[in-house]
């Protein structure tokens, strides 16, 4: 699909991609298979009106513009791509099937402006302000990373525009009294809970744990949640260290873990440091019963990078790829998985599913308001409950979805498996992990 992060992507594609019977969406478009996305200049199309950022085009079709920033280059580009692809494919399917029959009696197609922030908070803030001031965007797609999402959400609040995000999980984002932000990830303080519960259910039961945490908003929140969990268990916290976000060497930290003979290891960090961990655990000869990285340890790009060193690593997810949730665009979770695999040649993870749910959250609101404007849409999102490929979406009073984390493990055969909780597990955890000299 066409990508140009400096231009407006208007996803109005000829032909149908196969989704039919979409509740609340207009009738299916005719024709054969879907085409590529079409990009037009940011100043193309009709004038933006005061009616909630809706726009008329030269062919008389009404559009609603969604806009945001995303990590499309830099260290988090692999994860940013998961959101972008899910956004694009979902919007394409909606438009291919005739658009959205909104609650105001009109039918709309969706337009998206997505610009690269390189996971830089200052860049992201500028992008959102420009989208609001120059592009008249009223409905905001949140960025990736808590460090970026927190200041971006403040722009949404200052300008009274609803922002729905699937990439920021720090509790701090939702502790500001901000009525304009909605998050689809469990908050970071929940990320390690299921991992420790799983480990404590094993035989032999671990007695000690080490925490290594990146010095960023999300990772520090995750570490704090883990410490609170540990305080209510018999686990001894033998290592608790923070490392700079920019570091490319964890050997000193891992040496400390080894010298303290920690039974299990928790790395609160993003994909870059999970890759470093998988490599340097071997070179350091660090053998633990279990090791988990909180973000970026489950996607294909991580495993492609680290190869066999990624075997037996754990990671948390707010979504199960084998789930069977109903969805108004794809039909069901399995159809979404197949669509991502066929269009982009990779298996989706929870970032992908959360990205789809971001779009559906706005779609559901547009369908159920009498007048499309930022305040009405925000109020509808706050009280709505609906099903997506990601599961049931409903937000609490602070704007956070109520979800717990599943635990996956990379196993040599059959690959990535859900190992906890037991009622949805695909395989039992390989615990303890084999020592390096036994692999």
């Amino acid at each position: 699909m066409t990508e140009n992060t400096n231009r407006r992507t208007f996803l109005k594609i000829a032909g149908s991609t196969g989704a039919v019977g979409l509740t609340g969406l207009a009738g299916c478009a005719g024709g054969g298979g879907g085409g590529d996305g079409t990009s037009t200049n940011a100043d193309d199309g009709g004038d933006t009106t005061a009616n909630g950022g809706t726009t008329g085009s030269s062919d008389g079709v009404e559009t609603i513009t969604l806009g945001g920033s995303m990590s499309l280059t830099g260290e988090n580009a692999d994860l940013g791509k998961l959101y972008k692809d899910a956004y694009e494919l979902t919007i394409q399917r909606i438009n291919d099937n005739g658009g959205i029959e909104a609650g105001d009696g009109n039918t709309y197609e969706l337009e998206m402006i997505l610009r690269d922030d390189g996971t830089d908070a200052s860049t992201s803030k500028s992008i959102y302000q420009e989208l609001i001031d120059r592009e008249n965007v009223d409905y905001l797609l949140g960025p990736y990373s808590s460090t970026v999402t927190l200041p971006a959400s403040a722009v949404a609040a200052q300008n009274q525009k609803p922002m729905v995000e699937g990439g920021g999980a720090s509790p701090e984002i939702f502790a500001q009294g901000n009525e304009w932000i909605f998050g689809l990830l469990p908050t970071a303080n929940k990320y390690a809970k299921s991992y420790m519960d799983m480990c404590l259910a094993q035989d032999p039961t671990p007695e000690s744990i080490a925490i290594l945490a990146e010095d960023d908003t999300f990772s520090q929140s995750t570490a704090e949640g883990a410490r609170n969990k540990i305080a209510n268990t018999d686990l001894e916290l033998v290592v608790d260290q923070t490392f700079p976000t920019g570091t490319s060497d964890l050997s000193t930290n891992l040496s400390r873990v080894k010298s303290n003979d920690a039974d299990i290891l928790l790395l609160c960090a993003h994909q870059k440091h999970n890759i470093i961990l998988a490599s340097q655990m071997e070179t350091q000869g660090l053998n633990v019963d279990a090791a988990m990285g909180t973000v970026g340890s489950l996607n294909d790009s991580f495993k492609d990078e680290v190869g066999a060193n990624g075997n037996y690593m754990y990671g948390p997810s707010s979504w199960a790829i084998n789930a069977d949730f109903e969805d108004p665009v794809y039909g069901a979770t399995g159809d979404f998985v197949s669509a991502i695999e066929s269009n982009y040649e990779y298996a989706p993870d929870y970032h992908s599913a959360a990205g789809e749910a971001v779009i559906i959250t706005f779609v559901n609101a547009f369908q159920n308001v009498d007048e499309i404007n930022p305040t009405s849409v925000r109020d509808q999102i706050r009280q709505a409950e609906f099903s997506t490929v990601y599961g049931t979406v409903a937000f609490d009073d602070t704007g956070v979805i109520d979800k717990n984390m599943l635990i996956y493990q990379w196993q040599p055969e059959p690959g990535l498996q859900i190992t906890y909780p037991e009622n949805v597990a695909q395989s039992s955890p390989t615990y303890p992990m084999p020592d390096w000299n036994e692999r």
Side-chain angles (χ1 to χ4, degrees):
M1 301 184 73
T2 302
E3 174 184 337
N4 188 329
T5 59
N6 293 318
R7 295 164 66 88
R8 171 177 293 179
T9 301
F10 181 30
L11 298 165
K12 180 184 176 185
I13 316 299
S16 171
T17 55
V20 296
L22 307 180
T23 303
L25 302 180
C28 295
D36 289 335
T38 302
S39 295
T40 60
N41 286 325
D43 56 358
D44 284 353
D47 294 332
T48 301
T49 71
N51 185 24
T54 60
T55 307
S57 69
S58 58
D59 60 3
V61 176
E62 292 290 314
T63 66
I64 299 174
T65 302
L66 309 177
S69 78
M70 184 50 64
S71 303
L72 301 178
T73 59
E75 294 173 354
N76 293 314
D78 286 345
L79 297 176
K81 174 178 168 56
L82 302 182
Y83 293 99
K84 180 185 75 71
D85 291 349
Y87 292 165
E88 287 187 345
L89 189 59
T90 303
I91 291 173
Q92 174 187 324
R93 287 209 166 194
I94 290 167
N95 290 345
D96 281 354
N97 283 280
I100 304 164
E101 291 181 351
D104 65 357
N106 295 315
T107 299
Y108 298 92
E109 289 181 334
L110 291 179
E111 186 174 20
M112 180 175 71
I113 308 172
L114 193 64
R115 293 177 176 162
D116 179 27
D117 59 34
T119 324
D120 180 79
S122 178
T123 300
S124 178
K125 284 183 65 176
S126 296
I127 288 171
Y128 283 104
Q129 197 62 60
E130 182 177 280
L131 289 173
I132 294 166
D133 292 342
R134 298 187 182 181
E135 306 290 351
N136 298 302
V137 173
D138 283 342
Y139 309 107
L140 304 178
L141 308 172
Y144 177 71
S145 143
S146 294
T147 302
V148 179
T149 304
L150 178 60
S153 67
V155 176
Q158 290 160 7
N159 292 273
Q160 298 186 346
K161 310 294 185 186
M163 173 181 283
V164 182
E165 58 91 8
S170 170
E172 189 176 352
I173 297 168
F174 307 98
Q176 310 300 312
N178 185 346
E179 298 181 350
W180 297 90
I181 180 71
F182 300 92
L184 284 155
L185 297 181
T187 49
N189 54 318
K190 293 184 176 181
Y191 271 53
K193 178 181 180 296
S194 296
Y195 170 63
M196 285 187 278
D197 285 339
M198 182 199 72
C199 291
L200 289 168
Q202 305 307 308
D203 185 17
T205 303
E207 297 179 355
S208 60
I209 183 172
I211 296 176
L212 302 180
E214 182 182 351
D215 188 15
D216 72 288
T217 303
F218 165 82
S219 301
Q220 290 299 308
S221 296
T222 306
E224 183 59 26
R227 295 183 196 105
N228 292 336
K229 171 70 175 177
I230 291 166
N232 293 307
T233 71
D234 293 330
L235 284 169
E236 180 184 2
L237 181 58
V238 294
V239 176
D240 187 1
Q241 290 192 321
T242 294
F243 59 85
T245 294
T247 191
S248 58
D249 183 7
L250 296 176
S251 59
T252 301
N253 308 92
L254 296 177
S255 177
R256 179 71 63 87
V257 175
K258 183 176 182 179
S259 64
N260 281 274
D261 198 24
D263 292 327
I264 61 176
L265 171 61
L266 174 65
L267 178 71
C268 304
H270 295 81
Q271 182 168 326
K272 166 187 172 180
H273 295 107
N274 280 291
I275 291 171
I276 295 169
L277 175 71
S279 172
Q280 293 191 339
M281 280 182 65
E282 181 190 23
T283 58
Q284 293 285 311
L286 173 60
N287 296 308
V288 292
D289 292 341
M292 185 179 86
T294 52
V295 174
S297 58
L298 300 181
N299 47 308
D300 289 344
S301 59
F302 163 79
K303 196 61 164 61
D304 291 343
E305 181 76 19
V306 302
N309 276 16
N311 287 340
Y312 311 107
M313 284 276 293
Y314 295 92
S317 175
S318 54
W319 178 70
I321 196 170
N322 63 341
D324 187 23
F325 300 117
E326 292 184 359
D327 183 83
V329 171
Y330 295 90
T333 300
D335 300 307
F336 169 73
V337 173
S338 297
I340 291 290
E341 289 175 340
S342 63
N343 280 272
Y344 303 108
E345 299 183 344
Y346 63 78
D349 72 2
Y350 73 91
H351 301 90
S352 310
E356 192 265 358
V358 167
I359 303 299
I360 302 304
T361 298
F362 277 116
V363 169
N364 180 270
F366 298 148
Q367 292 169 343
N368 288 285
V369 294
D370 294 332
E371 180 181 352
I372 295 181
N373 61 62
T375 300
S376 296
V377 168
R378 178 204 63 182
D379 293 346
Q380 174 60 31
I381 291 172
R382 187 167 295 282
Q383 60 89 40
E385 182 173 333
F386 52 93
S387 181
T388 73
V389 301
Y390 188 60
T392 299
V393 172
F395 300 99
D396 68 16
D397 291 341
T398 67
V400 181
I401 196 170
D402 183 17
K403 265 182 174 286
N404 291 316
M405 304 302 281
L406 310 174
I407 301 301
Y408 281 78
Q409 184 183 38
W410 287 103
Q411 298 184 350
E413 293 292 340
L416 191 62
Q417 295 285 289
I418 301 170
T419 58
Y420 191 85
E422 290 184 4
N423 64 330
V424 297
Q426 298 168 295
S427 297
S428 298
T430 302
Y431 182 98
M433 299 165 60
D435 288 351
W436 289 102
N437 60 9
E438 297 173 354
R439 300 190 190 186

